[in-house]
Amino acid sequence: MTIVAAGSIATDHLMVFPGRFSDQLVDGKLHHISLSFLADELHIRRGGVGANIAFGLGVLGLRPALVGAVGADFAEYRNWLEAHGVDTAHVRVSTERHTARFVCTTDAEQNQIATFYAGAMGEAGEIDIGETVAAVGDVDIVVISPDDPAAMLRHTRYCRAHGVPFAADPSQQMARMPGPDIRELVDGATYLFTNAYEADLLRQKTGWSTEEVLDRVGVWVRTEGADGVTITGCGKEPVRVDAVPAAVVADPTGVGDAFRAGFLAGRIRGLGLVSAARLGSAMAVLVVETVGTQQYDVEPSALRTRIGQYSDTAAAEIEHAMFGIPTPSAPLEATA
């Protein structure tokens, strides 16, 4: 089975401001802001939500098909993704625009101010994801993550019309998109991914209650940072999954993307919702401890140690599902 990851592909310019943004805000003047922050650090990294999710799936041993639009400057990035298990054959290359840029400054309290230049991403709406689905064959799910809004809607309509399971991940684009478009993106999704703030924004913009959202999706997965993850299905009690503690918080950029990769990879490999969320949480902490969204490695024994913070049984189950390593109760021939 294959996962198709549709979404933005970008280069991240990540800066660190040693102070606090809030200290620079003047009461009564928030309607007219003109600020400049002197950053101590600059890191240029590969990113974009679609590419980040695809990278995470690739390093976990899957072969995801990435769908998005880039510029002619994508060649080196393409080689990087292919080397980490991502199928980039279905990426559209623009002849006129640069690959998208994400410029983000993080302060001492992990607050962020960011600007996103769409560039070639503006052509993503011209992509026919049906061609990718037909070429790949046996697609288990299409992940529709932040991208050009026209592309997100077109991909969603295709999946709904053709009975292709899809995961809705509107996240950053929710601030831009009107309620009717968000309702269309969400309706019929197998999985809906949001963080806690985005969950409130989704309800506000769509006018739906939590119950009305759950009537339209299979499972709603809400990430809550260090407080863990809440998983909810229609007519079912919410399930909480604790986060994996981070040894150090280096940069929160891309943490949610890594979680989605781990969660979906776990589901593809047969894990239950809780176990898949635990794998996603372990992947997320690998990102938060590094600067850059694709600068981490997945080493089975190290990942097992992370998941072992839940329990040895949880770690053994996930290790067996993802890497074929037998559980203590499973004979060796069971993995053949």
Side-chain angles (χ1 to χ4, degrees):
M1 303 295 281
T2 301
I3 295 179
V4 174
S8 61
I9 304 167
T11 301
D12 294 344
H13 294 247
L14 309 176
M15 290 170 276
V16 177
F17 172 61
R20 300 190 308 172
F21 295 144
S22 58
D23 291 341
Q24 319 307 317
L25 303 177
V26 179
D27 289 342
K29 299 293 184 179
L30 297 182
H31 64 288
H32 186 71
I33 297 175
S34 179
L35 293 172
S36 176
F37 299 99
L38 180 61
D40 283 357
E41 301 176 33
L42 168 64
H43 302 272
I44 300 176
R45 298 285 187 261
R46 305 167 186 89
V49 177
N52 290 341
I53 293 173
F55 176 88
L57 292 165
V59 295
L60 280 171
L62 284 75
R63 177 69 174 169
L66 176 61
V67 174
V70 299
D73 54 344
F74 182 63
E76 183 179 352
Y77 196 170
R78 183 192 298 276
N79 293 337
W80 166 267
L81 290 171
E82 288 284 349
H84 289 86
V86 178
D87 175 6
T88 64
H90 309 282
V91 173
R92 173 190 172 95
V93 180
S94 172
T95 59
E96 300 178 356
R97 303 178 185 177
H98 290 292
T99 300
R101 298 284 189 276
F102 175 66
V103 181
C104 180
T105 303
T106 302
D107 76 359
E109 293 188 335
Q110 301 302 306
N111 298 305
Q112 295 183 313
I113 296 177
T115 300
F116 190 85
Y117 161 71
M121 193 180 82
E123 299 179 13
E126 300 175 31
I127 297 172
D128 182 356
I129 203 167
E131 294 179 357
T132 299
V133 171
V136 171
D138 201 22
V139 171
D140 188 82
I141 195 165
V142 174
V143 187
I144 303 172
S145 60
D147 201 343
D148 178 75
M152 298 171 71
L153 289 168
R154 184 177 185 185
H155 300 338
T156 303
R157 289 165 184 157
Y158 173 86
C159 290
R160 220 173 6 244
H162 293 83
V164 178
F166 68 96
D169 177 24
S171 52
Q172 295 100 321
Q173 287 292 37
M174 225 168 339
R176 172 175 173 171
M177 301 181 76
D181 286 354
I182 297 171
R183 288 196 291 267
E184 187 171 1
L185 287 175
V186 168
D187 195 17
T190 301
Y191 302 107
L192 168 63
F193 292 103
T194 67
N195 61 28
Y197 180 81
E198 291 160 357
D200 291 336
L201 186 60
L202 184 147
R203 284 187 290 257
Q204 175 183 305
K205 284 203 158 190
T206 61
W208 289 340
S209 66
T210 296
E211 292 71 23
E212 288 172 322
V213 174
L214 291 173
D215 282 341
R216 292 166 169 83
V217 304
V219 174
W220 189 351
V221 182
R222 188 178 70 192
T223 57
E224 300 169 349
D227 292 329
V229 181
T230 299
I231 304 171
T232 312
C234 185
K236 299 179 181 179
E237 289 296 315
V239 176
R240 291 297 303 275
V241 178
D242 291 336
V244 175
V248 61
V249 177
D251 188 344
T253 309
V255 170
D257 305 337
F259 173 85
R260 287 151 175 73
F263 179 88
L264 291 168
R267 294 294 285 162
I268 293 298
R269 294 288 173 84
L271 292 175
L273 293 170
V274 170
S275 293
R278 288 171 171 170
L279 175 59
S281 297
M283 291 286 286
V285 83
L286 295 180
V287 174
V288 81
E289 292 179 351
T290 61
V291 176
T293 58
Q294 299 176 24
Q295 300 304 120
Y296 63 96
D297 295 316
V298 173
E299 204 282 317
S301 62
L303 195 63
R304 188 190 199 286
T305 299
R306 301 280 191 170
I307 299 168
Q309 295 179 66
Y310 294 109
S311 71
D312 287 341
T313 300
E317 178 195 11
I318 294 171
E319 191 176 45
H320 175 61
M322 299 307 301
F323 307 111
I325 299 173
T327 62
S329 60
L332 288 175
E333 57 267 22
T335 64

